[in-house]
Amino acid sequence: LSAEQKSIIIGGLLGDASISRNAGPTGNARIKFGHGVSQLGYLTWKRNALANFNPSEIKGPFMTEWGGAMYQFTTECHPEFTKIFNAIRPTGERKTITPEVLEMIDPMAIAIWFQDDGGISRNGTSVSAKISTYSFQKNEVELLVAKLLSFGVRCRLSETKKGPVIIIGVQGTKTLMDLIRPFVHSDLAYRDWE
């Protein structure tokens, strides 16, 4: 597992990807990635980056509960993914933020995470950002905020009806964009990054 592959996986698991493990004490984990039609090139890039883990062909479109079309692929089961499973799902239940996960978050992982769950808002010439973190508990999002702060990204947790989100102000967004720019995929240009 290369550093780039680990960043793609960790960033993906902070965002839209899921990880599951075969039953039994020797069962290994697999990872599923999925994106909408407009991100098919981004999904293909992820699949190609993980080619040595025999990913399935990209399948779809599947209709989602919110009415959109989604494409997905799944990796093979592998002991390297089981290590990641044990870090992000230590009880076997939902994804959670552990010290092991925090250690694996680097600028590329942040870029993947932001491309999965982030968004930009404009107010005149001011640009701010938000990362949806609904699948994590408030205390876990506080750990993610601290991790972003360690990279100089000024941000804060905000609670919404759907769950916690990370709000990144104008200066923090500039720092974030500088941090992730080398890793932003061309398919995500529609999000108007800058």
Side-chain angles (χ1 to χ4, degrees):
L1 186 65
S2 72
E4 178 183 80
Q5 290 172 324
K6 185 180 278 189
S7 295
I8 290 168
I9 291 166
I10 293 302
L13 290 170
L14 292 173
D16 296 332
S18 63
I19 189 166
S20 59
R21 185 173 177 181
N22 284 342
T26 60
N28 283 312
R30 71 173 63 83
I31 303 166
K32 182 187 291 183
F33 293 87
H35 289 290
V37 176
S38 62
Q39 297 175 324
L40 192 52
Y42 178 52
L43 183 65
T44 301
W45 171 79
K46 286 180 179 180
R47 184 186 179 280
N48 291 341
L50 297 169
N52 60 317
F53 291 101
N54 299 316
S56 68
E57 293 299 318
I58 293 176
K59 298 175 183 170
F62 302 100
M63 295 310 291
T64 64
E65 60 191 59
W66 58 91
M70 182 174 184
Y71 291 83
Q72 63 188 28
F73 75 87
T74 305
T75 67
E76 69 179 348
C77 294
H78 196 278
E80 289 293 331
F81 302 150
T82 303
K83 292 175 191 174
I84 293 170
F85 178 93
N86 291 336
I88 202 161
R89 290 185 58 191
T91 65
E93 299 300 318
R94 66 173 184 82
K95 294 187 288 187
T96 188
I97 303 302
T98 63
E100 295 82 9
V101 171
L102 289 169
E103 286 179 28
M104 292 186 268
I105 297 174
D106 61 11
M108 185 176 191
I110 293 169
I112 300 298
W113 175 32
F114 189 76
Q115 290 174 99
D116 280 12
D117 281 349
I120 295 288
S121 297
R122 291 186 179 279
N123 184 2
T125 59
S126 298
V127 180
S128 59
K130 176 179 90 169
I131 304 174
S132 299
T133 51
Y134 306 133
S135 63
F136 298 111
Q137 303 293 316
K138 179 181 175 184
N139 65 317
E140 295 169 320
V141 178
E142 288 169 346
L143 295 172
L144 292 169
V145 165
K147 187 66 175 187
L148 288 170
L149 288 168
S150 77
F151 284 100
V153 178
R154 293 173 56 191
C155 58
R156 64 181 173 81
L157 180 147
S158 179
E159 294 191 67
T160 70
K161 290 180 182 179
K162 291 174 85 175
V165 297
I166 297 174
I167 302 295
I168 307 168
V170 173
Q171 189 56 47
T173 299
K174 182 182 179 330
T175 304
L176 175 67
M177 292 301 119
D178 290 344
L179 182 70
I180 70 172
R181 185 174 288 111
F183 311 108
V184 173
H185 191 273
S186 60
D187 270 16
L188 283 293
Y190 76 93
R191 290 194 175 178
D192 198 15
W193 297 99
E194 309 215 42

